[in-house]
Amino acid sequence: MNYWQTDLIRLRGVEPEDGDLFWSWNQDSEMARNLEFVWPPVSKAQVRQEMAAAAQKKMENDAFQWVIEETNGTPVGFIHTHNCHPRNGVFKYGLGVEASHRRKGYAAAAILVILRYYFQELRYQKVTIQMHSENEASRALHERLGFVREGAVRRAIFTGGRYLDELFYGMTVDEWQQRYGVSAK
């Protein structure tokens, strides 16, 4: 089986023709709020141009963006890594899954592929994710995957007319190996 595929999903690079897809995902204001904030409207032309540029990008500083697809090729979401620091062995990621495809295991499967790659192939030793305190779905998902809540910054995110706490969750390579039965090589 392809390294980037499981029984449920496969990850692929962004293609220029994904512009309309990402534009449609940008219309989901609740997904946007859970990722950062509600973005102002942008044109399809702008998103097409951004996706065309993303399709040409090589992995830089170990940061990259993937489309999450069902194994039949239906796109369901995206995952991207950022703030990758090889010297310290730490990285972060963000993801989004289209509303009609949530709670089907796609996000969890994509996260586990990314963790396997960064821990086993790139030698990273820790991943950290951030979310606002009312993102119950993300909190539950990451706790179920074995992430540990590491802290909170009070009133650090403003969205929906309110200030929310920013929560930090992390997982070390040792915790990942122990939980998922992966031996260090």
Side-chain angles (χ1 to χ4, degrees):
M1 183 180 292
N2 183 314
Y3 186 91
W4 300 98
Q5 183 171 328
T6 70
D7 292 337
L8 187 61
I9 58 103
R10 88 174 130 245
L11 300 183
R12 66 162 174 83
V14 173
E15 296 292 344
E17 53 272 11
D18 288 330
D20 289 349
L21 176 65
F22 276 84
W23 183 88
S24 71
W25 290 340
N26 287 349
Q27 304 313 300
D28 183 344
S29 295
E30 288 309 307
M31 180 166 66
R33 178 170 280 124
N34 281 331
L35 293 172
E36 293 178 273
F37 64 97
V38 177
W39 306 302
V42 297
S43 69
K44 284 185 182 180
Q46 179 182 338
V47 179
R48 287 178 186 141
Q49 184 177 17
E50 289 171 2
M51 291 303 102
Q56 297 299 316
K57 276 186 87 170
K58 295 179 181 175
M59 185 179 246
E60 285 183 35
N61 301 317
D62 294 338
F64 201 68
Q65 181 172 355
W66 297 268
V67 172
I68 306 167
E69 293 182 329
E70 292 177 324
T71 55
N72 68 8
T74 302
V76 298
F78 63 88
I79 188 166
H80 64 94
T81 53
H82 58 93
N83 293 80
C84 303
H85 299 284
R87 181 173 178 272
N88 297 323
V90 297
F91 73 101
K92 297 178 180 183
Y93 65 82
L95 74 138
V97 174
E98 183 179 336
S100 65
H101 295 288
R102 291 182 192 143
R103 303 198 192 297
K104 296 182 180 179
Y106 300 131
I111 290 166
L112 292 176
V113 169
I114 294 303
L115 294 182
R116 180 182 68 200
Y117 184 66
Y118 278 75
F119 288 156
Q120 283 192 306
E121 302 298 328
L122 298 182
R123 287 187 232 135
Y124 279 79
Q125 60 89 22
K126 170 117 188 284
V127 60
T128 303
I129 57 103
Q130 298 159 243
M131 68 195 75
H132 67 66
S133 54
E134 292 188 1
N135 189 342
E136 296 291 336
S138 186
R139 283 177 34 187
L141 167 66
H142 287 90
E143 289 172 359
R144 191 170 62 251
L145 289 175
F147 281 69
V148 175
R149 182 171 167 176
E150 296 181 334
V153 177
R154 296 178 306 142
R155 297 174 54 96
I157 296 173
F158 183 79
T159 189
R162 299 172 298 143
Y163 290 96
L164 303 174
D165 295 349
E166 183 173 27
L167 306 180
F168 292 82
Y169 279 76
M171 180 183 283
T172 67
V173 66
D174 297 331
E175 292 164 340
W176 176 77
Q177 289 169 340
Q178 183 177 20
R179 183 173 186 100
Y180 294 100
V182 180
S183 63
K185 295 182 180 180

